[in-house]
Amino acid sequence: MAPYGLKRLALAVPTLLAVSFVTFFLGYLAPGSPIDLLVGQHADPAIRRQLEHEYGLDRPAMVQYADFLWGAVRGDLGHSFANGGRSVTDLIAQQFPTTAFLALLAICTAALLGLPAGVLAALQHNRLPDRAVMTQVLVLVSLPPFVLAPILMLCFSLWLGWLPTSGWEGPAYWVLPTVVLAARPGAVLARQMRSSMLEVLRQDYIRTASAKGLTGTQVILRHALKNALLPVLTVLGNSFGYLLTGSFIVETLFSIPGIGYESVHSILARDYPVIQGVALLVASVFVAVNLLVDLLYVAVDPRVRHEAAR
Amino acid sequence: MSDIAARAMPGTGARLLRHPVAVAAITVLALLLLAAAVGPALSPYSYDTEDRAAILAPPGPRHALGTDNHGQDTLTRLLHGARVSLSVGLVVEAIEVLIGVALGLLAAWKGGRLDLLLMRITDGMFAFPDLLFAILLVGIMRPTTAAGSFLTVFVALALVNWPGMARLVRGQALAVRSKEYVEAARSLGIPDRRIVMRHVLPNIVSPIVVAATVDIAQVILAEATLSFLGIGLQPPYPSWGRMISDGLPYLRSAPQLIIYPALALGTVVISLNFLGDALRDALDPRMRG
């Protein structure tokens, strides 16, 4: 277990290096100088050179990259070109908790609705509940947050007046963003739960369990569900990628002061240090979550554990 | 390709036509394609004609679906938006399939270092959320001209999407490679190229077609997302995603500004996803869950 964990952790390093390399050089090669943002395009060339020197932008690209990387390792992601030159780390530290909280709410909602729906569909295979769930899944997978959100806002905020349209001031404000963000992961989880449950129900040990006289509920809870949940873990890990990207859109839609909202502003304003910092953070979170899922897999499934030990 | 497809899937058309959902989806998509092709020419307005006398007009005789805050005709813009969505979806998917099939087949057939390299690259791409990568690419390279923004969106989406297809093709090709009929063809001394084109490719067309159909929906959603965020297609050319974000401030006073593009986008994506599902059933009856 421990050596396997270390091996997986070591494999995450090149991934993060690659992400940092790509995000840095995309920013480096992008058209338009960041100096333009500070002083405008027609500033005195002497002032421009002065500023370039101050920000270290006149150094060779590889030196700048090494500097960026060394800073990132120490938790220093540079300074925003906007926001009065605030430190990017500060900015992220202030806004990430909101995004993480929203993502957590969404993934819990998705799991609480999606998993039972998937189990129900599998148990009622090819009957009405199954078809209803699968149709629902296809519809929810097809509707992006920026289609779902305005529809829900119209119904629940403007017509019924039950929930606020935007802001982040208390539980009532959490409902719509959570539902919008949870829709797709919930649908994907339901689909995976259904197919993995169907797969397990075909296995010999399920027939054995029924044959030895266990009740249907016992077979499902103790034998089928436990085994069927394993592949779902992977999907759960992958959903985090969606949740982080989805937060860009959901936070913009509902004016939620999180990292997604900030990122969209930074992208529109070409505030590269913030974009690079967020990209690195998102990649780290994504890699960490998938690593956690892999380790969890090993911990829960003895078959994988033996495979990993070899 | 269509020749290969026809030989690989006898009876698929008939099976598909017995599927009511598939027929509905195909009809909707065909109508949309037609609307996108001829609709803009039939409209009395251009996508950027500003009718100053009708700002934020509700649906009426002059503007069937009303106008936006610039007095631009919503129906006309929707039709142009259909062109954007469908062409981005089809072109990006075509590029993706070309790259994916070529690299996937090559990796499966040649194996060795090439295969290893492909797997490492795709692993790396999978380690980062797709759409976020596209957002970063487009956001950082953000061109200022309309044509430039079109091109950037195509390139970014194709770049982000091909690894999934390559992995799928490689996996399927590897499975077919060890089949007896491929073995037989090899022992007869048939050249590799011919084996791959005539024996391997036709046998893996079904999963490719299904994946591509569902992928088109994803690509269309991705373009709409980029445009919604303001980094996709640049105005004045309309995109459904952009129309939705432009309509947000008027959610209370003119909800139709959002409802129509949202409906259009939802309809296309849902149709493609249902079609993909039906195709899976029709192409491979054994897969019926």
Side-chain angles (χ1 to χ4, degrees):
Chain A
M1 176 77 193
Y4 173 74
L6 284 176
K7 212 165 81 187
R8 283 292 284 105
L9 198 63
L11 276 176
V13 175
T15 308
L16 289 177
L17 269 178
V19 169
S20 72
F21 188 83
V22 171
T23 46
F24 176 82
F25 278 94
L26 277 177
Y28 181 80
L29 296 171
S33 159
I35 303 296
D36 296 344
L37 285 170
L38 292 167
V39 293
Q41 277 187 1
H42 308 293
D44 181 0
I47 295 178
R48 294 182 62 105
R49 268 196 301 278
Q50 167 78 27
L51 277 170
E52 271 177 12
H53 187 70
E54 256 173 51
Y55 280 88
L57 296 171
D58 53 354
R59 296 171 300 165
M62 279 318 280
V63 176
Q64 288 188 44
Y65 173 61
D67 195 40
F68 167 71
L69 209 59
W70 177 231
V73 171
R74 288 172 304 155
D76 173 13
L77 293 166
H79 293 267
S80 165
F81 291 144
N83 295 304
R86 267 184 73 185
S87 127
V88 175
T89 316
D90 252 21
L91 215 63
I92 290 178
Q94 191 197 342
Q95 291 161 338
F96 188 62
T98 308
T99 303
F101 179 63
L102 174 61
L104 214 64
L105 276 181
I107 200 73
C108 290
T109 310
L112 282 177
L113 294 177
L115 298 183
V119 173
L120 175 77
L123 294 179
Q124 299 282 321
H125 188 209
N126 274 342
R127 271 177 278 180
L128 189 66
D130 183 20
R131 291 188 201 287
V133 168
M134 290 317 282
T135 307
Q136 187 66 22
V137 162
L138 269 184
V139 170
L140 286 180
V141 165
S142 305
L143 295 181
F146 52 88
V147 166
L148 208 53
I151 297 172
L152 294 180
M153 279 181 190
L154 270 176
C155 294
F156 294 100
S157 307
L158 299 181
W159 293 339
L160 295 171
W162 291 350
L163 297 164
T165 42
S166 63
W168 194 247
E169 283 148 44
Y173 291 84
W174 302 344
V175 180
L176 286 184
T178 302
V179 170
V180 170
L181 195 54
R184 189 187 167 91
V188 174
L189 280 176
R191 183 156 61 187
Q192 178 60 50
M193 188 71 227
R194 172 183 179 269
S195 69
S196 113
M197 192 78 180
L198 283 175
E199 182 63 39
V200 167
L201 287 176
R202 270 199 285 269
Q203 300 295 320
D204 289 340
Y205 56 79
I206 295 298
R207 200 176 331 137
T208 310
S210 307
K212 77 178 184 191
L214 293 184
T215 64
T217 328
Q218 276 174 316
V219 173
I220 289 159
L221 287 182
R222 306 235 330 243
H223 296 267
L225 205 54
K226 252 165 84 182
N227 286 299
L229 270 172
L230 277 169
V232 176
L233 270 181
T234 310
V235 176
L236 201 67
N238 278 328
S239 312
F240 262 84
Y242 171 78
L243 288 177
L244 293 166
T245 324
S247 76
F248 276 50
I249 297 143
V250 172
E251 288 177 9
T252 306
L253 279 163
F254 291 97
S255 314
I256 298 167
I259 209 113
Y261 188 66
E262 181 65 38
S263 309
V264 172
H265 277 267
S266 305
I267 288 174
L268 290 174
R270 295 183 192 272
D271 192 347
Y272 297 130
V274 178
I275 303 175
Q276 287 165 346
V278 171
L280 217 50
L281 173 82
V282 168
S284 312
V285 171
F286 194 52
V287 168
V289 167
N290 281 315
L291 181 66
L292 205 70
V293 167
D294 278 1
L295 293 182
L296 211 60
Y297 226 106
V298 177
V300 193
D301 191 340
R303 285 167 302 184
V304 182
R305 198 180 314 146
H306 290 304
E307 193 80 2
R310 261 192 278 142
Chain B
M1 195 70 189
S2 66
D3 177 42
I4 294 176
R7 251 184 299 138
M9 312 177 268
T12 299
R15 268 206 298 278
L16 207 55
L17 289 180
R18 277 202 303 271
H19 210 302
V21 178
V23 174
I26 292 173
T27 314
V28 168
L29 289 170
L31 285 176
L32 254 151
L33 265 174
L34 187 72
V38 302
L42 297 179
S43 166
Y45 307 101
S46 161
Y47 58 84
D48 56 354
T49 311
E50 298 186 358
D51 185 350
R52 292 279 167 205
I55 301 277
L56 288 174
R62 211 141 64 96
H63 298 282
L65 297 180
T67 58
D68 65 10
N69 52 319
H70 298 294
Q72 303 177 116
D73 186 63
T74 301
L75 179 59
T76 309
R77 289 177 68 77
L78 274 181
L79 290 169
H80 280 278
R83 278 191 179 177
V84 172
S85 283
L86 295 174
S87 57
V88 168
L90 292 173
V91 172
V92 169
E93 193 54 42
I95 300 174
E96 184 190 325
V97 169
L98 275 179
I99 300 179
V101 169
L103 287 182
L105 281 178
L106 214 62
W109 209 253
K110 296 276 179 218
R113 264 202 219 140
L114 183 76
D115 191 26
L116 209 66
L117 182 69
L118 180 77
M119 293 321 270
R120 284 294 83 78
I121 293 176
T122 48
D123 271 349
M125 305 274 287
F126 285 144
F128 201 64
D130 274 6
L131 190 57
L132 192 63
F133 193 32
I135 291 176
L136 288 174
L137 271 175
V138 178
I140 290 177
M141 305 308 279
R142 199 154 49 100
T144 39
T145 61
S149 66
F150 226 124
L151 194 69
T152 315
V153 168
F154 279 122
V155 171
L157 293 182
L159 212 62
V160 167
N161 279 310
W162 71 265
M165 185 57 77
R167 282 282 269 257
L168 174 84
V169 173
R170 174 187 175 271
Q172 297 286 336
L174 275 181
V176 170
R177 198 190 140 127
S178 55
K179 289 268 164 67
E180 290 89 347
Y181 55 82
V182 173
E183 197 73 25
R186 270 185 155 173
S187 57
L188 284 174
I190 297 173
D192 274 5
R193 215 189 133 81
R194 202 174 145 84
I195 298 180
V196 171
M197 292 310 287
R198 304 211 40 152
H199 300 280
V200 178
L201 198 51
N203 282 299
I204 62 172
V205 157
S206 310
I208 297 176
V209 169
V210 173
T213 311
V214 178
D215 263 2
I216 294 177
Q218 291 308 312
V219 171
I220 289 178
L221 279 184
E223 181 277 323
T225 305
L226 293 175
S227 295
F228 172 82
L229 291 174
I231 54 178
L233 224 56
Q234 292 306 302
Y237 206 77
S239 152
W240 291 342
R242 183 84 192 196
M243 288 173 78
I244 293 174
S245 72
D246 286 347
L248 276 179
Y250 308 97
L251 186 61
R252 193 180 291 268
S253 56
Q256 75 272 12
L257 285 185
I258 288 185
I259 291 177
Y260 293 132
L263 268 179
L265 188 61
T267 309
V268 172
V269 177
I270 288 177
S271 303
L272 281 166
N273 278 333
F274 274 106
L275 181 61
D277 233 38
L279 272 171
R280 197 184 331 244
D281 284 355
L283 289 177
D284 192 354
R286 284 163 305 175
M287 289 266 300
R288 244 179 215 154

